[in-house]
Amino acid sequence: MENIRNFSIIAHIDHGKSTLADRIIQHSGIIPEREFRNQILDNMDIERERGITIKSQTINLPYKAKDGKEYLLNLIDTPGHVDFHYEVSRALASCEGVLLVIDASQGVEAQTIANLFVAMEENLKIIPVINKIDLPTADIDKVKQQIEKELDLNPNDAILCSAKEGIGIENILEAIVNQIPPPRGNIDKPLTGLVFDARYDIFRGTVVSCRIFDGKIKPGDSIIFMSTNSKFIVEEVGIFRLNKVSVRELSVGSVGYIIAGIKDVNEVKIGDTITLFNNPVSLSLAGFRESKPVVFSSIYPVSSEDYESLKDALAKYKLNDAAFVYQKDSSVALGLGFRCGFLGLLHLEVVQERLEKEFNQSIIMTIPTVQYRFTISDGQTLTIDNPLYYPDPSKIKKCEEPYVNMTIYTPEKYFGAIMKMCIDKRGINSKFNYIRQGQMEIHFEIPLSEVIFDFHDKLKSLTQGYGSFDYEFSEYRESDVVKLDILINGDKIDALSMIIYKENAYKRARGVCEKLKETIPRQQIRIDIQAAIGSKIISRSTISPFRKDVIAKCYGGDITRKRKLLEKQKEGKKKMKVVGSAIIPQNAFIAVLKIENE
Amino acid sequence: MNKPGIYIHIPFCKEKCPYCDFYSISCQKQNIIEEFIYSLGKEIFFYQNLGKNKIFDTIYIGGGSPDILNEKQIFTIVKNLYSTFKFSSDTEFTIELNPQNITREKIMFLKDIGVNRISLGVQSLDEKDLKFLCRHHSVLSGQKAIEIIRSLDMALNIDLIYALPYQTKKMWLKILNDAVICEPQHISAYQLTIKDNTPFGIMKMEKSFKESSEKKQAELFFLTSDFLEEKGFIHYEVSNFAINEKYFCRHNMKYWQRIFYLGLGPSAHSFFNEERWSNYSDVEKYCSLCKTNILPMEKKEKLTKQQTNLEKIYLGFRTKMGISEKDLYIDNTEKIVEQLENQGFINIINHQIIPTKKGFLFSGGLPFYFI
């Protein structure tokens, strides 16, 4: 146990976490150089594309330190986004220390601090690492000052590195060995294991990643997951190298995997405690929480004949994403589909992109919404996350919507613009303080519905990319919302309905009507677009029809030409929906999603 | 009724008209024309096997401007056709001519070799229009040509172009009226369509040419249809009118009803046994290939079942015969048919979907609903 070090790397997006992880892995020599693939840990295309880690991977690395001893380092990777707060916290709970990576030119940002707080809560040893020192824009002194003033850490402990160039890696490894304490625990106590990840393997079933705090676990043991009280027999335990390597047992202090014939990954909850059935621990580990979706949207196949294919894709996707939930849904306009729940907007985007890119699905997603709570006249409380089930307005006594505590981290010159956005987006109780000269931290409370609606893009554009944010759910508060419907030639397009704060409804209605006018092509019939609250039309736009659509002359050659055009149209039609008599392209739905509240 | 037809493309013009995008070169050099006639003879011969056991019932000589050819040249073409293919006794034999070259003798000659229908490129009966369209004849010569053809008892089609940028309803109505007075059996009234690679197209791109508005075009379309129907014509295809079914252009009907036709000459298109092919749009290449006994074919494709379906749907919306319900294959056909009927684009008669006038005007867009 003295030779084990469990650590994680935390950073703001793009500060080089994955590159550093790669270097550390490379340095351990477990992968032949020629097989070295960049960013080993992020094994999903989309993550590589966006430079963020969503699903964490763990790896066990041998390291011979300068003191001559052999160490086993467990690098526990963490998801790098605000939607995955809880997952990050469980991964960090499995460690004794972290590398806090800070970009030498960008400096400290909101997520750096947010992650640092999580690490501090877990009482971890924190080693600051200043990365990208090779960049011409690197300002090491400034970052050191920030480390001292904003993070309250010793700047002299900071290790300078360029993961890209391979500079400083040795120093980091030595610091891990020398500064991060070895794990503590008692091998004779009952088994206590923390589940920090689970993923599905088509051959082996669910592979549970866990950290052993007390006791040991070996094949043949009967184990129980304490939150669900479900029992399994262990088939195999092992450690993560590049592939899974089975071992005889996992004992106190170590990090590894357990395979126990668990068919459904959803039976395993992140943060749960594993113990032995025959000799259980009395108290489960603290910090367990069921991760609950907060953002909801429906997914429909563009072509209704692809419904089964989408259903299969979702089932497969779900195997590796326990946080994603879905159930059947149907829309008059879009046919059969699925209502889905996500941890946040990024999570939603990740699911969307993976379905499209990895599973080749052509999908339409509806406007994301949060979960509203309605108290109706008979005193009943309804939780609504789908505009389809919006209660009868005459019976609504009270409506509540979720609020979050928002933290924005920004250069001070954008303070005014951000405060204005905060007010526009119904932010309240704002507080701010200077973290250092020129850099501010702004806190306020804001409805989650405003955060999932263009908040990220807006903040980035207001601050020219320098502002960053982080949020956590706080509570439900009373609010005045309405259901806004969109009608095309009198037909309600239920997939475009939304629940919205009453005062925003008019502006939004106008935006949607304009956007649809821009994106729906002219047709041979007039298209009337209306936005309505109940029976009251609050905004409208019209697409005037073609007066003619015909080729005057059609001979032999024209037949081929026109047929080719039709073949193209036929292909394009897969991305269209015929609603009533109007043809609505998929991108009209997407455009409405992307609309800005201007 | 379903006998195949023959189209011959004469790829020469005295001068290209600024709106035309059919393949032709402005050339009057006799040696090139002679070479073409010779090559065309070869191409006709290449297809003798295809013609075996078939009886053709239309010949259509178009272009270009077939009136570039002298009597001897036309005679050679026709002789080659007659000696290679079999034709029914009632063959419709059309030739496209321009008014300025028409003489009594020429028409009598054509009649002698079997031509029984003249498609006359009148285009307008207004001097200003003729100038605008850069035509080389006058209203008077147009009327004279019509008179000669009528007097020799040939079936006559008059080609007219409308929706010129400045044209008012009144101006167009006068032309239509004057045309009807000449008693042609057939009128083709085409909306001026600006194609990209034509002089008008280039002018449009440079913004020195402005088409008349869609609204105006639509108005003129309905006006044309209403007026000619009132005068006893049948509006049987988007741009075509005939005094009775006997005078529907049998050859053009083959294009719209997917009856086989053999196209000869540069750029000509053919359709046989669900195969479509086309020749090179290049006189020189055409001639050199024919002379070395190679088919001057540029592209050939076998239509898939889906492609056949698409064509049936598209072409069906262009004529009064419409499209059979059983040729519609997508799921929710009934609902769409009902909607389009309610919106006045189609009528359903005996399980046949028949486009209305309004349907004709949208025949480019309606197929989209059924693919």
Side-chain angles (χ1 to χ4, degrees):
Chain A
M1 202 155 60
E2 280 307 310
N3 292 352
I4 295 175
R5 296 292 183 275
N6 296 319
F7 73 103
S8 192
I9 307 174
I10 54 180
H12 189 74
I13 295 172
D14 272 348
H15 282 197
K17 185 176 85 168
S18 298
T19 319
L20 178 59
D22 290 348
R23 284 295 174 190
I24 291 173
I25 295 166
Q26 194 182 15
H27 197 277
S28 74
I30 62 167
I31 312 158
E33 195 69 26
R34 66 192 154 82
E35 284 174 27
F36 195 80
R37 202 168 48 126
N38 264 345
Q39 303 205 354
I40 297 291
L41 292 189
D42 294 359
N43 61 359
M44 293 182 200
D45 280 351
I46 179 173
E47 294 181 351
R48 201 161 311 141
E49 235 168 64
R50 302 174 132 223
I52 51 171
T53 316
I54 289 134
K55 200 84 179 126
S56 49
Q57 283 252 65
T58 294
I59 197 155
N60 174 285
L61 306 164
Y63 175 63
K64 187 168 177 165
K66 284 182 179 157
D67 61 13
K69 287 186 210 152
E70 294 274 357
Y71 289 87
L72 279 178
L73 312 181
N74 285 308
L75 165 52
I76 295 162
D77 201 20
T78 58
H81 190 273
V82 55
D83 287 350
F84 303 93
H85 246 314
Y86 173 67
E87 285 71 9
V88 173
S89 79
R90 293 307 86 200
L92 294 187
S94 309
C95 303
E96 277 74 38
V98 293
L99 302 178
L100 178 65
V101 179
I102 304 160
D103 184 308
S105 56
Q106 302 287 324
V108 170
E109 298 198 53
Q111 268 185 281
T112 322
I113 297 183
N115 284 324
L116 175 69
F117 285 160
V118 181
M120 282 172 161
E121 275 169 34
E122 299 295 333
N123 287 317
L124 304 185
K125 169 66 192 174
I126 292 150
I127 303 172
V129 172
I130 303 176
N131 190 23
K132 304 194 190 179
I133 56 165
D134 59 308
L135 289 183
T137 49
D139 189 344
I140 295 166
D141 288 340
K142 195 176 117 193
V143 176
K144 280 193 169 176
Q145 274 178 33
Q146 288 183 340
I147 289 173
E148 184 169 13
K149 294 208 174 114
E150 294 166 36
L151 306 183
D152 204 17
L153 297 171
N154 185 351
N156 299 322
D157 289 347
I159 302 171
L160 302 183
C161 121
S162 163
K164 196 169 138 237
E165 300 298 326
I167 301 165
I169 306 301
E170 186 85 33
N171 293 342
I172 291 173
L173 286 163
E174 285 298 315
I176 291 169
V177 168
N178 297 324
Q179 294 183 32
I180 295 178
R184 307 250 165 268
N186 188 341
I187 197 162
D188 298 323
K189 280 194 182 168
L191 171 69
T192 311
L194 172 64
V195 176
F196 63 86
D197 194 12
R199 58 186 66 203
Y200 189 76
D201 179 306
I202 46 168
F203 302 111
R204 310 300 310 271
T206 304
V207 179
V208 179
S209 302
C210 82
R211 157 73 194 269
I212 310 297
F213 281 95
D214 281 315
K216 60 184 180 186
I217 182 170
K218 60 182 189 309
D221 286 347
S222 285
I223 52 166
I224 52 169
F225 290 93
M226 293 182 75
S227 79
T228 54
N229 217 20
S230 48
K231 183 182 156 193
F232 297 94
I233 311 268
V234 177
E235 292 170 4
E236 180 181 318
V237 297
I239 55 170
F240 296 100
R241 280 285 158 90
L242 257 202
N243 298 306
K244 292 186 280 288
V245 177
S246 70
V247 295
R248 268 185 308 154
E249 61 175 33
L250 287 178
S251 67
V252 62
S254 54
V255 166
Y257 68 86
I258 297 168
I259 293 171
I262 308 167
K263 293 215 171 52
D264 186 352
V265 73
N266 302 303
E267 291 192 59
V268 181
K269 312 264 183 237
I270 308 285
D272 204 352
T273 305
I274 302 176
T275 191
L276 288 178
F277 180 70
N278 295 328
N279 182 18
V281 67
S282 53
L283 264 182
S284 56
L285 292 159
F288 174 73
R289 199 171 87 199
E290 286 230 38
S291 69
K292 281 207 184 103
V294 294
V295 174
F296 300 83
S297 164
S298 293
I299 299 181
Y300 295 94
V302 172
S303 168
S304 47
E305 59 202 66
D306 294 335
Y307 173 76
E308 289 297 325
S309 155
L310 176 61
K311 193 170 138 191
D312 288 350
L314 287 175
K316 285 200 188 104
Y317 175 80
K318 168 77 180 153
L319 286 177
N320 260 323
D321 186 349
F324 170 71
V325 296
Y326 71 102
Q327 65 187 57
K328 278 187 187 162
D329 191 17
S330 80
S331 141
V332 179
L334 300 179
L336 291 175
F338 299 91
R339 189 68 183 169
C340 307
F342 309 90
L343 295 181
L345 201 58
L346 178 96
H347 188 205
L348 176 149
E349 284 175 18
V350 166
V351 174
Q352 180 182 11
E353 281 191 48
R354 289 194 60 195
L355 286 174
E356 285 173 346
K357 291 201 173 139
E358 283 174 45
F359 295 90
N360 274 323
Q361 299 294 311
S362 212
I363 56 172
I364 292 175
M365 291 193 88
T366 61
I367 298 151
T369 183
V370 300
Q371 215 160 34
Y372 292 90
R373 260 197 325 228
F374 293 95
T375 308
I376 53 177
S377 42
D378 64 1
Q380 214 185 327
T381 305
L382 301 172
T383 305
I384 304 290
D385 59 44
N386 187 341
L388 229 53
Y389 305 121
Y390 191 80
D392 178 351
S394 65
K395 292 192 175 142
I396 297 173
K397 273 173 70 187
K398 188 170 93 173
C399 170
E400 293 162 297
E401 65 172 318
Y403 270 67
V404 297
N405 291 327
M406 170 67 68
T407 304
I408 292 178
Y409 207 66
T410 176
E412 86 187 312
K413 64 175 162 178
Y414 306 116
F415 176 75
I418 289 172
M419 286 312 289
K420 185 177 176 301
M421 173 173 89
C422 155
I423 292 161
D424 285 349
K425 287 188 165 287
R426 300 189 277 145
I428 47 170
N429 296 335
S430 59
K431 284 184 282 241
F432 58 90
N433 54 288
Y434 280 88
I435 298 203
R436 76 187 131 94
Q437 184 140 29
Q439 190 73 19
M440 303 185 72
E441 194 180 51
I442 308 169
H443 298 275
F444 50 90
E445 296 152 33
I446 179 173
L448 179 61
S449 63
E450 299 283 352
V451 180
I452 64 171
F453 180 70
D454 85 348
F455 188 93
H456 177 262
D457 291 348
K458 204 151 194 182
L459 178 71
K460 285 291 165 192
S461 80
L462 279 181
T463 61
Q464 297 176 306
Y466 286 108
S468 53
F469 74 100
D470 197 40
Y471 64 85
E472 260 189 311
F473 172 76
S474 68
E475 61 180 347
Y476 271 84
R477 292 192 189 162
E478 193 160 348
S479 177
D480 188 7
V481 302
V482 292
K483 182 182 172 214
L484 182 64
D485 291 317
I486 305 299
L487 296 88
I488 291 182
N489 286 355
D491 292 327
K492 193 188 285 177
I493 310 299
D494 54 3
L496 290 178
S497 293
M498 61 190 104
I499 301 173
I500 186 168
Y501 182 60
K502 195 172 177 186
E503 275 178 34
N504 288 348
Y506 287 83
K507 220 156 66 173
R508 192 68 171 278
R510 220 174 314 133
V512 172
C513 288
E514 282 312 306
K515 200 48 125 189
L516 287 175
K517 186 177 174 170
E518 280 167 32
T519 44
I520 297 176
R522 277 174 77 204
Q523 290 161 36
Q524 60 236 17
I525 49 164
R526 176 187 151 113
I527 310 271
D528 283 310
I529 302 162
Q530 295 169 318
I533 297 172
S535 58
K536 190 178 165 210
I537 306 294
I538 60 166
S539 186
R540 67 178 80 227
S541 64
T542 303
I543 301 169
S544 60
F546 282 129
R547 301 299 188 123
K548 55 157 259 186
D549 180 7
V550 61
I551 306 169
K553 211 167 188 171
C554 173
Y555 284 131
D558 284 335
I559 293 166
T560 309
R561 216 176 301 163
K562 176 68 189 182
R563 193 196 67 232
K564 288 193 171 137
L565 184 71
L566 273 181
E567 281 169 352
K568 230 189 245 168
Q569 287 180 346
K570 189 176 173 179
E571 205 41 49
K573 198 175 172 180
K574 290 187 187 157
K575 295 193 177 251
M576 310 236 178
K577 282 281 172 187
V578 179
V579 177
S581 48
I583 298 163
I584 307 177
Q586 179 195 20
N587 63 9
F589 290 94
I590 295 169
V592 170
L593 270 178
K594 297 237 145 115
I595 223 166
E596 292 211 12
N597 215 353
E598 285 305 328
Chain B
M1 181 62 208
N2 289 345
K3 297 188 183 81
I6 287 180
Y7 173 74
I8 296 204
H9 190 77
I10 308 300
F12 306 108
C13 285
K14 202 172 157 199
E15 230 172 79
K16 292 266 331 180
C17 299
Y19 49 84
C20 173
D21 78 334
F22 286 93
Y23 173 69
S24 76
I25 55 172
S26 49
C27 167
Q28 300 185 75
K29 283 189 196 133
Q30 278 307 311
N31 58 333
I32 294 178
I33 296 173
E34 284 297 337
E35 204 186 322
F36 163 72
I37 298 291
Y38 172 76
S39 304
L40 181 63
K42 298 274 287 195
E43 196 194 7
I44 291 170
F45 185 70
F46 295 155
Y47 287 109
Q48 66 168 342
N49 273 334
L50 183 129
K52 250 181 206 158
N53 309 320
K54 289 188 183 71
I55 297 172
F56 293 80
D57 71 349
T58 65
I59 300 171
Y60 194 107
I61 301 180
S65 307
D67 38 10
I68 287 261
L69 307 182
N70 61 35
E71 291 185 3
K72 191 174 142 265
Q73 288 158 342
I74 293 177
F75 183 75
T76 307
I77 295 172
V78 174
K79 191 189 72 189
N80 285 332
L81 284 176
Y82 288 168
S83 62
T84 312
F85 303 114
K86 282 194 214 66
F87 293 91
S88 73
S89 58
D90 68 337
T91 294
E92 175 196 272
F93 188 164
T94 307
I95 187 164
E96 286 180 349
L97 294 174
N98 286 315
Q100 64 267 41
N101 299 316
I102 290 199
T103 61
R104 220 181 150 72
E105 291 68 33
K106 187 162 189 170
I107 301 299
M108 278 167 69
F109 159 76
L110 291 171
K111 202 174 168 181
D112 280 347
I113 60 167
V115 175
N116 52 23
R117 187 172 182 271
I118 306 287
S119 179
L120 194 65
V122 174
Q123 317 307 3
S124 178
L125 290 165
D126 179 290
E127 296 294 353
K128 187 181 170 195
D129 291 1
L130 292 172
K131 208 163 252 156
F132 179 84
L133 296 169
C134 305
R135 300 293 298 182
H136 298 282
H137 65 269
S138 62
V139 172
L140 190 66
S141 64
Q143 284 163 335
K144 247 185 171 163
I146 292 169
E147 208 183 292
I148 293 170
I149 296 162
R150 294 291 293 122
S151 73
L152 289 170
D153 204 24
M154 293 277 248
L156 171 65
N157 166 56
I158 293 181
D159 264 355
L160 295 172
I161 296 178
Y162 69 98
L164 308 191
Y166 53 83
Q167 198 169 44
T168 62
K169 280 195 214 173
K170 204 174 147 198
M171 289 157 90
W172 170 234
L173 209 53
K174 180 173 186 306
I175 294 164
L176 270 181
N177 195 48
D178 290 351
V180 169
I181 289 169
C182 301
E183 296 188 329
Q185 292 89 348
H186 193 282
I187 292 178
S188 297
Y190 298 112
Q191 288 192 348
L192 177 62
T193 308
I194 307 303
K195 301 278 176 79
D196 283 352
N197 289 314
T198 60
F200 277 172
I202 291 161
M203 285 162 70
K204 184 184 163 189
M205 246 162 48
E206 290 168 349
K207 308 245 153 77
S208 58
F209 183 98
K210 200 166 175 288
E211 278 173 290
S212 66
S213 69
E214 262 183 24
K215 183 171 168 242
K216 174 90 154 302
Q217 290 181 37
E219 279 172 8
L220 293 176
F221 177 86
F222 288 120
L223 181 77
T224 310
S225 179
D226 293 346
F227 179 82
L228 290 178
E229 280 185 355
E230 193 199 300
K231 297 290 176 185
F233 283 81
I234 303 170
H235 190 176
Y236 75 98
E237 195 262 357
V238 172
S239 306
N240 286 284
F241 301 83
I243 49 163
N244 64 46
E245 283 186 24
K246 216 175 84 194
Y247 287 99
F248 286 2
C249 179
R250 192 195 288 167
H251 183 80
N252 286 345
M253 289 294 283
K254 294 189 197 303
Y255 298 138
W256 305 319
Q257 302 207 304
R258 307 185 76 253
I259 299 167
F260 300 153
Y261 51 91
L262 177 62
L264 302 162
S267 83
H269 286 71
S270 302
F271 176 54
F272 260 95
N273 301 326
E274 296 308 309
E275 283 185 339
R276 290 194 181 275
W277 68 88
S278 58
N279 286 346
Y280 284 101
S281 299
D282 181 335
V283 183
E284 221 177 295
K285 188 157 192 173
Y286 171 84
C287 291
S288 69
L289 287 170
C290 288
K291 277 193 291 186
T292 47
N293 293 321
I294 298 170
L295 276 178
M297 189 190 291
E298 185 184 15
K299 284 178 245 165
K300 179 172 180 165
E301 58 180 339
K302 175 100 188 154
L303 299 185
T304 62
K305 200 157 167 9
Q306 278 191 338
Q307 289 174 322
T308 300
N309 281 335
L310 282 187
E311 289 193 355
K312 280 185 186 165
I313 291 168
Y314 161 55
L315 293 167
F317 281 112
R318 285 194 73 92
T319 72
K320 207 78 214 150
M321 291 83 224
I323 173 168
S324 163
E325 267 183 350
K326 67 177 171 27
D327 283 331
L328 298 176
Y329 57 90
I330 59 162
D331 286 347
N332 46 349
T333 298
E334 274 169 43
K335 220 174 100 191
I336 298 168
V337 165
E338 193 191 316
Q339 252 164 26
L340 294 177
E341 194 177 20
N342 290 339
Q343 290 162 357
F345 291 109
I346 55 173
N347 288 317
I348 315 294
I349 301 165
N350 293 330
H351 300 285
Q352 199 72 9
I353 292 157
I354 311 288
T356 60
K357 258 178 229 192
K358 189 174 160 194
F360 276 158
L361 195 56
F362 288 95
S363 60
L366 295 180
F368 182 81
Y369 290 95
F370 297 100
I371 58 175

